[in-house]
Amino acid sequence: MGQDLISEGQSVDNYIGGEWSKIDGTHQQDIVNTATGETIAQVNSSSPETIDDTVATARQAFDDWRQLSVEERIQPVFRLKALLEEHQEPMAEVLVKEHGKTKKEAMGEIRRGIENVEVACGIPTMMQAGHLPNAAPNIDETAVRKPLGVFTAVTAFNFPAMIPLWFLPYAVATGNTFILKPSEKTPLTARYLFELIDEAGFPDGVVNLVNGGAETVTAMLEHDDIEGISFVGSTPVARHIYETAAAHGKRVQAQGGAKNHIIVSDSANLEFAVDQTVSSAFANSGQRCLANPSAVVHDDIYEEFADRLTEAVAEYTVAPGLDEGAQMGPLISDDHRETILDYIETGVEEGATLLYDGRDADVPEGGTFLAPTLFGDVTPEMTIGSEEIFGPVLSLLQASDFGDAIDIVNESRFGNAASLFTERGREAKRFRHEVEAGNLAVNAGTAAPMAFFHFGGWKDSFFGDLHAQDDDAIRFYTDEAVYIERWPEA
Ligand code: NAD
């Protein structure tokens, strides 16, 4: 399974009502092996008519699916967990080919996806609400959580295995039916995931896959029979999804872009902080919403930190993601590489100091490789100090004291995550109280919560009320009712 899905010239199919089907819409784009430049598949855009048919199929499946006991509903979720474990390695290889990340990163990503499937297996407990006997004289009250109908998720390219699993297992285990619209840049991983879903034995129509781009999403946003939408992608699209879905009466949770910061205190263990800063900025080639592409460093240690970081960046190994020893693979596309090169040029023009120029480094030929770049003397007003680059570019900013560092972080319009390196408890406490972001790490480079905690950002990194994962997911995918019951004496 899997490997044969990526033979040259193959078009990616939809999975609707338990059947694989060709896509009727217009040609969307070629899928390229990012390490070699070779075209490995095409993906088309599903038409509004296909969305109508898919929603009707999912709506019909909902009638029976919601009637099953919760115990019966979680059985295919358990099987999906076992299938993902069994196929983790070949799935990772498909992911590496279309996306570019290293195999180790792909294996780690699938692991984080599996974690969500495991949590969703606990829905019989998580879905319980509350019961109070004698809430009023001779009256018992019970709160219950009920599924709503058809939900959809529209997802980003950068974690094509994990992000769909932030939503899919919770949506279906709570009794809804589900349609995934994966990124048109990485449809092969979703295709592989649905091979496993097909084998897991969900009833037909409970879990569906439609491919496409903006036109396909518009048909979903405007569809009366879709109850809610989960979105992960860039901030302008997240804002558009939030506004349009809400205008059409839907529940919506829209996770957007990011520009996260690491604060390096003058008390930090520098060796550890350098190591964590490098991996936080350059893992997944910097294409992570939890990457920290800006490090705000105390004046007193700035020079030493910059020197150590420059050495570490120069040693970073850029290679095809399937190579042993690769630390960073290629970028998602040539267009994206051009965008990042433009940002580097802008950084130079705006007066930042190039400490290590990734454009000059040797990288493998043929793919969309770009070595890491390190800038010093960046300010929050500069383009590279304020905008999301989403690539292997790390900026160093200087702070005169800890309060100054917090002000710099909070100046950002984004609030997805932040990290602090310190040996002082009082700085950690102040960081947690004052930094305006949804995920805060002390002495860890990447603030990624486990699946049994909720996950979502603040400010322009998130539009909605309920985040992904944990209890927020249960509340997003259910509505509550209260049963009030009295049995008067005869
Ligand atoms: P993107 O916004 O280009 O695309 C995301 C999804 O939206 C895709 O499925 C795409 O088909 C769809 N889409 C694109 N334009 C649309 C439009 N006009 N109308 C309707 N749908 C549209 O994002 P991307 O390039 O795939 O992913 C990178 C972005 O995702 C970065 O900004 C990154 O920070 C963000 N991201 C955020 C999180 C988070 O949890 N906050 C996680 C991962 C990625």
Side-chain angles (χ1 to χ4, degrees), residues 28 153-159 162-163 166-167 181-186 212-218 221 231-238 240-241 254-259 287-290 332 336 388 390 414 416 439 455-457 461-462:
Q28 180 75 12
V154 173
T155 54
F157 79 83
N158 62 329
F159 286 95
M162 177 184 69
I163 294 176
W166 285 347
F167 309 112
K181 204 300 287 173
S183 168
E184 64 276 31
K185 297 171 197 161
T186 47
E215 178 203 16
T216 306
V217 179
T218 300
L221 290 173
F231 173 84
V232 181
S234 56
T235 287
V237 183
H240 161 70
I241 298 280
Q255 300 183 202
K259 183 78 173 177
Q287 301 165 125
R288 286 196 308 165
C289 69
L290 288 179
I332 186 64
H336 191 49
E388 180 179 43
F390 217 55
F414 298 103
N416 213 35
N439 304 283
F455 171 59
S461 296
F462 182 76

Side-chain angles (χ1 to χ4, degrees), residues 259 342-343 346-347 350 378-389 395:
K259 183 78 173 177
D342 286 348
Y343 272 115
T346 304
E350 290 185 351
V378 176
T379 65
E381 296 73 35
M382 290 179 184
T383 307
I384 58 165
S386 56
E387 291 186 11
E388 180 179 43
I389 300 175
S395 297

